[in-house]
Amino acid sequence: MINNLDFSIMKDGKDYKYYSNGKWRKSTSGDLIQVYNPYNNELIANVQACTMEEADKIIKVAHENIDCWEEFPLNKRAEILNESANLMIKSSEKLGHLLMREIGKPLNSAISEIIRTAEIFKATAESSLQISGETIIGDAFEGYSKEKLSITYRVPLGVVLCIGPFNYPFNLTGSKIAPALMAGNSVVMKPPSQGPLTALHFGIILEKAGVPPGVFNIITGRGSEIGDYLVSHPLIDMINFTGSSETGKFLAKIAGMKPLLLELGGKDAAIILDDADLDITVKAIVSGAFSFSGQRCTAVKRVLPMPGIADKLIEKVTKETLKLTIGDPAKNNIIGPLISSKQCDYVQGLIDDALEKGAVLKCGNKREGNIIWPTILDNVNVDMRIAWEEPFGPVLPFIRINSAEQAIKISNKSEYGLQGMIFTENIDLAFNIAQELEVGTIQVNGKSSRGPDHFPFLGTKSSGLGTQGIKYALESMSRPKVVVMNLSEKGKLIKECFVPEK
Ligand code: NAP
Ligand code: G3H
């Protein structure tokens, strides 16, 4: 049984180090990235701004340790992941508090993020034990006999680069690390520069749980400075990235032939038919649009109501939105700060554009520090930026529609294709609309969301490439290896067919 973790090298006001080959190191750049609390602008700590030379070294270390880790029996890797999960759970309060402060996530959601990550580690360990190969006999094709057979099993890809976003910096790096390690890869992780502190604790957790030095490594630094270098490095064998569509598309251009798993932005639309259950719909929309102040890829980002329900829906959504608590994330307020004042300016620009073009303000449009009050806009039309751009903030546009066909058209015109929602009691119609929507997942009578984490999770168009979810991520981070046996016919037993007498 492992004792409590020693997090003493990671304290407020300290310069956090990066983690390479089992050691915590300072960058030779002497350059530090400040991590501020977005709620009160207090400096929490600094992280190292690593150089390209350090990126090169860390990738080489991970590359040199591929064989060591691949040789570890699968059941031992699973034990290590399970132990890591236990350590996360033990430290969830402490890590949750840090996460709350570095990204402004409500405290209970921040603690849940740690626990959810631990659950992903456990489920990934369990799921990987079920992975099996297959044997195929050759005689399905003319000219081939049963003596030719292929044996297929899965092998790791090599070094996996895991890059996470600011909004789930622990969970969306953890959900990459777990399948990468279980599949036998070594890992280089780069956390976001706003929100790197909690994710750096993976170094302590995985080391304590038994991951050998060099198998798991963390580099910190600005994406704009070392990102391209990491992504295009010849010793990186696979990239698993979550972040904006802009960054993801750029990475895809420079990554060459490396396999990619990209989870990118979204503009999830909720189509509300006249017969929708009002209470269920309102609850889903308010929580879907405004939890973590709208900073979720799967937030409800547009509502398309039919004429028979639009007025009462908008009134009720506004009424419920006005009840949302606003303020300090430590006190579990639903609406807290956005990640930066730059992001607030962007969101305000979307609101201003819509209001200038005739949208009707139902509530919100107020700003204090990095907090933007939850804002509802009615009568939004397709000429307004908010109809198409991802705010990543607490703004919800209502675009009134007259038919399901119009809703499908507006939904599909988006450059994004993460999830879609349909609220109705007519399940046949919901299924038919679902078939027309160009998105990864359609939720019927529920808000868009990623979990549970064994479900497939994917986006079409600018929303991503490849499929996440425990089983799918394990597949993406490994490849089939095929051995074809050409057996000798010498030892073949000739069996004659028995033809029954008539
Ligand atoms: P971002 O600005 O694209 O950054 C994401 C990560 O990429 C950060 O670690 C960033 O590092 C790094 N990065 C930046 N430039 C890079 C480069 N040239 N090469 C390699 N890495 C680079 O995204 P974000 O603002 O953190 O996250 C918000 C976006 O992510 C939203 O669009 C949201 O919808 C999307 N998202 C999608 C999902 C999903 O599952 N589909 C989940 C969560 C978030 P630095 O921080 O150092 O710049
Ligand atoms: O921000 C994007 C996340 O993948 C959303 O996850 O739906 O569980 O909040 P969630």
Side-chain angles (χ1 to χ4, degrees):
M1 190 58 194
I2 287 176
N3 298 323
N4 282 337
L5 290 168
D6 179 7
F7 289 145
S8 57
I9 58 161
M10 297 187 182
K11 284 234 170 82
D12 279 13
K14 279 210 171 189
D15 297 343
Y16 282 45
K17 296 175 180 160
Y18 74 101
Y19 182 68
S20 169
N21 209 6
K23 292 212 162 54
W24 294 94
R25 299 165 199 271
K26 275 189 172 175
S27 169
T28 53
S29 71
D31 186 12
L32 296 168
I33 301 171
Q34 286 80 36
V35 183
Y36 291 98
N37 180 329
Y39 175 63
N40 55 21
N41 281 323
E42 272 173 19
L43 180 69
I44 307 174
N46 302 307
V47 295
Q48 308 294 317
C50 291
T51 62
M52 289 187 207
E53 289 71 32
E54 284 155 345
D56 184 54
K57 269 195 194 157
I58 211 168
I59 293 170
K60 284 184 176 146
V61 162
H63 177 77
E64 280 155 17
N65 282 286
I66 297 170
D67 290 346
C68 136
W69 185 240
E70 193 183 354
E71 287 307 307
F72 251 66
L74 193 61
N75 67 81
K76 290 279 174 282
R77 282 187 233 148
E79 264 175 32
I80 290 175
L81 254 72
N82 279 320
E83 195 50 55
S84 310
N86 295 338
L87 293 170
M88 284 175 219
I89 290 167
K90 267 190 181 176
S91 319
S92 56
E93 288 279 330
K94 192 175 169 57
L95 293 177
H97 273 83
L98 180 60
L99 183 60
M100 177 268 293
R101 289 190 301 134
E102 65 174 333
I103 62 165
K105 185 170 273 193
L107 181 58
N108 53 10
S109 306
I111 295 171
S112 300
E113 177 169 339
I114 310 297
I115 291 170
R116 179 176 181 181
T117 311
E119 284 166 356
I120 290 179
F121 267 62
K122 285 192 177 206
T124 305
E126 196 182 316
S127 183
S128 70
L129 299 179
Q130 313 304 324
I131 288 179
S132 58
E134 64 175 354
T135 304
I136 308 175
I137 313 282
D139 63 347
F141 276 73
E142 181 68 36
Y144 293 98
S145 69
K146 289 191 188 339
E147 276 61 44
K148 190 185 259 305
L149 53 102
S150 81
I151 300 169
T152 307
Y153 53 98
R154 296 197 80 83
V155 292
L157 297 173
V159 180
V160 176
L161 175 63
C162 302
I163 304 180
F166 81 81
N167 67 331
Y168 275 91
F170 193 76
N171 181 265
L172 281 172
T173 45
S175 62
K176 298 169 174 46
I177 297 164
L181 290 178
M182 270 320 298
N185 302 284
S186 59
V187 171
V188 173
M189 175 190 112
K190 194 207 99 58
S193 295
Q194 178 63 56
L197 304 177
T198 318
L200 272 161
H201 288 72
F202 276 120
I204 295 178
I205 291 169
L206 293 175
E207 181 181 302
K208 187 86 175 172
V211 176
V215 171
F216 173 72
N217 308 277
I218 311 173
I219 188 159
T220 51
R222 297 177 187 93
S224 54
E225 287 171 8
I226 57 166
D228 300 11
Y229 186 78
L230 288 167
V231 167
S232 51
H233 197 288
L235 294 181
I236 290 293
D237 300 296
M238 194 258 175
I239 300 161
N240 190 341
F241 170 86
T242 304
S244 63
S245 299
E246 191 188 352
T247 313
K249 283 181 188 175
F250 175 71
L251 298 194
K253 274 194 195 137
I254 63 169
M257 283 184 68
K258 298 180 176 80
L260 295 173
L261 200 46
L262 302 177
E263 297 181 321
L264 310 175
K267 187 72 185 169
D268 296 0
I271 300 173
I272 322 294
L273 303 187
D274 284 337
D275 67 347
D277 181 305
L278 198 59
D279 289 339
I280 290 177
T281 309
V282 169
K283 202 168 162 216
I285 289 177
V286 174
S287 117
F290 296 120
S291 51
F292 191 27
S293 306
Q295 298 176 105
R296 292 167 54 244
C297 60
T298 47
V300 178
K301 291 180 182 140
R302 306 180 274 174
V303 184
L304 313 180
M306 288 287 277
I309 196 165
D311 287 342
K312 50 186 182 230
L313 177 75
I314 296 167
E315 287 320 307
K316 204 155 183 207
V317 167
T318 306
K319 195 172 153 210
E320 292 306 310
T321 301
L322 287 167
K323 292 181 191 162
L324 296 176
T325 56
I326 299 167
D328 191 350
K331 298 193 174 124
N332 283 319
N333 289 295
I334 307 286
I335 303 291
L338 296 190
I339 196 66
S340 64
S341 64
K342 192 172 158 215
Q343 184 60 23
C344 293
D345 294 343
Y346 175 70
V347 172
Q348 190 61 55
L350 292 177
I351 299 172
D352 294 345
D353 171 78
L355 293 177
E356 275 160 27
K357 291 176 181 159
V360 174
L361 182 69
K362 302 296 292 181
C363 64
N365 192 22
K366 174 180 167 189
R367 176 175 170 182
E368 252 177 45
N370 284 343
I371 297 184
I372 292 203
W373 263 241
T375 301
I376 292 178
L377 298 167
D378 190 7
N379 288 347
V380 167
N381 66 43
V382 294
D383 296 328
M384 299 172 186
R385 287 171 55 203
I386 192 68
W388 308 111
E389 293 179 36
E390 180 188 44
F392 234 56
V395 186
L396 184 63
F398 281 80
I399 307 172
R400 292 169 182 250
I401 46 146
N402 288 311
S403 67
E405 287 75 17
Q406 191 192 0
I408 293 166
K409 211 166 154 196
I410 294 174
S411 295
N412 288 347
K413 208 172 160 206
S414 169
E415 67 159 300
Y416 298 104
L418 193 55
Q419 298 206 341
M421 289 149 277
I422 305 162
F423 290 86
T424 177
E425 304 217 317
N426 184 341
I427 298 304
D428 290 345
L429 182 56
F431 192 76
N432 285 332
I433 296 173
Q435 297 202 63
E436 299 297 322
L437 295 176
E438 296 162 1
V439 294
T441 303
I442 295 101
Q443 306 269 352
V444 177
N445 293 325
K447 64 177 182 183
S448 44
S449 68
R450 169 162 52 110
D453 290 309
H454 63 309
F455 280 13
F457 181 63
L458 67 155
T460 64
K461 303 194 277 188
S462 295
S463 288
L465 203 64
T467 306
Q468 289 282 4
I470 285 161
K471 170 177 101 171
Y472 310 91
L474 279 165
E475 273 172 16
S476 310
M477 295 190 181
S478 58
R479 67 176 170 85
K481 173 112 184 193
V482 186
V483 179
V484 177
M485 302 296 294
N486 293 281
L487 302 175
S488 158
E489 296 212 357
K490 277 185 204 157
K492 190 175 171 186
L493 289 174
I494 311 290
K495 291 180 216 151
E496 283 181 9
C497 290
F498 172 74
V499 184
E501 278 181 25
K502 287 191 179 158

